Amino acid sequence: LRYVAARGALVFVVSATPALVFGDLAARLGIAGIVGLELEVDADDRATGRHSGIPTLGEGKVTRLRASTQA
């Protein structure tokens, strides 16, 4: 990943793993970003166990990646 990113490729990791698990991995790898599952939080900022928005599974991975590269 570092090799192709260093040569100008726009590299993303797209995973169904919750985004918070990755921490600062994108910065440490020198890549454009991580697109992971966003968790729903309640009024007390606690995870509810459900996802928020479009899940990063199947076609959702493509949809979320496209949105990330257009932002």
Side-chain angles (χ1 to χ4, degrees):
L1 295 176
R2 286 184 186 121
Y3 178 85
V4 296
R7 283 152 182 78
L10 191 59
V11 178
F12 285 83
V13 171
V14 184
S15 175
T17 301
L20 64 91
V21 171
F22 293 103
D24 66 348
L25 183 64
R28 290 191 347 233
L29 291 176
I31 63 174
I34 305 285
V35 180
L37 187 71
E38 297 298 331
L39 300 177
E40 178 184 80
V41 293
D42 63 17
D44 295 319
D45 208 28
R46 294 180 298 203
T48 66
R50 295 182 297 264
H51 70 83
S52 175
I54 299 170
T56 46
L57 308 167
E59 186 63 30
K61 285 187 176 192
V62 175
T63 302
R64 295 275 312 280
L65 179 60
R66 285 183 178 148
S68 293
T69 60
Q70 294 172 0

